[in-house]
Amino acid sequence: MTSTTVRPSRSEGSGSDFARLARTITDAGLLERRPGYYTLRITLVAGLYVGGWTALALVGDSWWTLAVAAGLAVVFGQVALVAHDVAHRQVFRRRRASETCGRIAGAGIGMGYGWWQDKHTRHHANPNNDELDPDLAPDLLVWSQEQARVATGLPRLIGRWQAYLFFPLLTLEGFNLHVSSGKALANRSLKQRKLDGALLFGHCAAYLAVLFWILPPGMAIAFIAVHQGLFGLYLGSLFAPNHKGMPILTHDDRPDFLRRQVLTSRNVNGGWFTDIALGGLNHQIEHHLFPSMPSPNLRKARVLVRHHCQELGVSYLETGLVASYRHALTSLHQAGAPLRLNRVHA
């Protein structure tokens, strides 16, 4: 994945292209709340969450609990998607209601809501910007050849073969979510730091207490490995198709808002099952343009956004799910090329 220069259109004033699209979207009523949809969705997800833990208690001391662990991994992913929509104020208009519901959902999966919201907000403001997008930080992987050339430590070691290791590493993403949430509590500028800390440690304590109370130690550890591993794999797979392999912006790039969001995002084709599995994030372009748009409206907005981009001559990328992963892995392999070259020369 290499840096790609993206320039704003000279034929349009700054922001005017997006303003015209925003009026069309607003006139179509696509920014209006969907209380019935979210009431049903949150009720179903909450029911599945309670049902999963109830199933664990009923199955008890049996290796069939690993099947329960796999099911709960999917449920945890769906809870994370609900937290995502709530954080973007797709569900509630008022901030307090959004934060309360978001923290409840975050506590249910062991995620620090304040840490994640801050990180995700910065990502939305500057997607795929090599300096400003926290999702491009080379903590473990390198996302561009420029990062590879200066990589040290684990990124340098892993970066050579990161395309092959990407999905196996995603099994650690659930654990990373908990660890990163905990580490963020040291940041005194984090809002509601004490509340987030109490919710995070309360989740971890309850999670471990329930498992080691119901299951013998070896089985409890196996449950944690399967549950957290599959949760991480699902969580990482939700976000991998969205921006990986798309152009990376540098500090020299000055695209307007519409182009900054559209040219760095990728949509994933599919029907209702894809919408449910990916929580609407398969309509990533529309979501980045209108973050507060309820996820069930994104599919309807897609037609209007795609037509608008075609009129402007702005590239609008859609692929299938498998193709999106292939593009992401190809990009990762290309990003690690300097590390493989250095090894050959050494």
Side-chain angles (χ1 to χ4, degrees):
M1 180 167 24
T2 57
S3 300
T4 301
T5 300
V6 182
R7 305 295 182 189
S9 169
R10 295 181 181 274
S11 63
E12 296 285 344
S14 177
S16 62
D17 290 339
F18 175 72
R20 288 191 293 112
L21 174 62
R23 285 194 293 270
T24 301
I25 292 293
T26 301
D27 291 344
L30 296 177
L31 295 178
E32 296 178 2
R33 299 296 189 275
R34 297 285 299 274
Y37 165 83
Y38 277 110
T39 298
L40 177 61
R41 178 177 169 186
I42 292 173
T43 300
L44 287 174
V45 171
L48 290 171
Y49 186 92
V50 173
W53 289 111
T54 302
L56 172 65
L58 293 175
V59 174
D61 184 358
S62 166
W63 287 108
W64 282 106
T65 54
L66 298 187
V68 177
L72 269 175
V74 176
V75 174
F76 266 46
Q78 287 293 315
V79 174
L81 289 169
V82 168
H84 171 270
D85 285 12
V86 169
H88 278 295
R89 301 180 72 174
Q90 297 176 18
V91 184
F92 306 104
R93 289 188 182 277
R94 296 189 179 276
R95 182 182 300 276
R96 177 167 293 185
S98 297
E99 290 185 351
T100 299
C101 185
R103 279 193 162 84
I104 292 172
I109 60 174
M111 178 185 75
Y113 178 79
W115 158 77
W116 179 84
Q117 187 182 43
D118 173 73
K119 175 176 177 288
H120 196 61
T121 298
R122 289 186 285 125
H123 158 71
H124 264 266
N126 293 281
N128 264 28
N129 185 294
D130 64 353
E131 295 181 351
L132 302 175
D133 186 352
D135 289 351
L136 286 191
D139 296 328
L140 191 60
L141 306 177
V142 293
W143 304 106
S144 68
Q145 293 190 358
E146 288 76 11
Q147 289 184 352
R149 293 187 183 98
V150 297
T152 59
L154 278 177
R156 184 175 184 83
L157 177 65
I158 294 174
R160 296 186 181 99
W161 313 112
Q162 59 185 14
Y164 301 99
L165 297 172
F166 180 67
F167 281 106
L169 286 172
L170 286 185
T171 60
L172 302 176
E173 190 61 28
F175 296 103
N176 179 58
L177 184 72
H178 311 317
V179 172
S180 296
S181 296
K183 290 170 63 176
L185 297 175
N187 182 2
R188 294 184 178 275
S189 66
L190 188 68
K191 296 179 180 179
Q192 300 291 330
R193 185 166 61 104
K194 292 183 179 179
L195 176 57
D196 283 351
L199 292 173
L200 176 62
F201 289 115
H203 167 88
C204 293
Y207 180 87
L208 294 174
V210 167
L211 291 181
F212 282 94
W213 176 51
I214 294 176
L215 304 175
M219 196 175 293
I221 293 172
F223 184 100
I224 293 171
V226 171
H227 177 230
Q228 295 296 326
L230 292 180
F231 171 47
L233 182 62
Y234 182 29
L235 199 63
S237 298
L238 289 174
F239 294 97
N242 302 338
H243 304 283
K244 308 310 179 191
M246 299 303 292
I248 292 180
L249 307 183
T250 70
H251 66 280
D252 294 325
D253 297 316
R254 295 291 185 270
D256 60 17
F257 177 78
L258 183 141
R259 288 165 178 79
R260 183 166 71 247
Q261 302 298 339
V262 174
L263 296 176
T264 60
S265 303
R266 177 196 295 111
N267 275 10
V268 175
N269 294 323
W272 63 268
F273 179 79
T274 305
D275 283 358
I276 293 174
L278 300 185
L281 295 181
N282 45 310
H283 306 293
Q284 189 69 193
I285 294 173
E286 289 71 30
H287 171 60
H288 261 257
L289 288 171
F290 303 98
S292 64
M293 179 183 291
S295 59
N297 291 349
L298 294 172
R299 178 174 289 276
K300 298 176 182 177
R302 167 177 164 269
V303 177
L304 300 175
V305 173
R306 184 174 58 183
H307 177 71
H308 188 71
C309 289
Q310 288 174 344
E311 286 187 335
L312 296 173
V314 175
S315 176
Y316 179 101
L317 181 61
E318 286 184 306
T319 68
L321 183 61
V322 174
S324 72
Y325 291 133
R326 184 170 62 248
H327 292 165
L329 294 177
T330 299
S331 174
L332 283 170
H333 190 66
Q334 292 173 347
L339 296 173
R340 295 190 297 275
L341 185 61
N342 287 343
R343 187 179 185 184
V344 170
H345 287 169

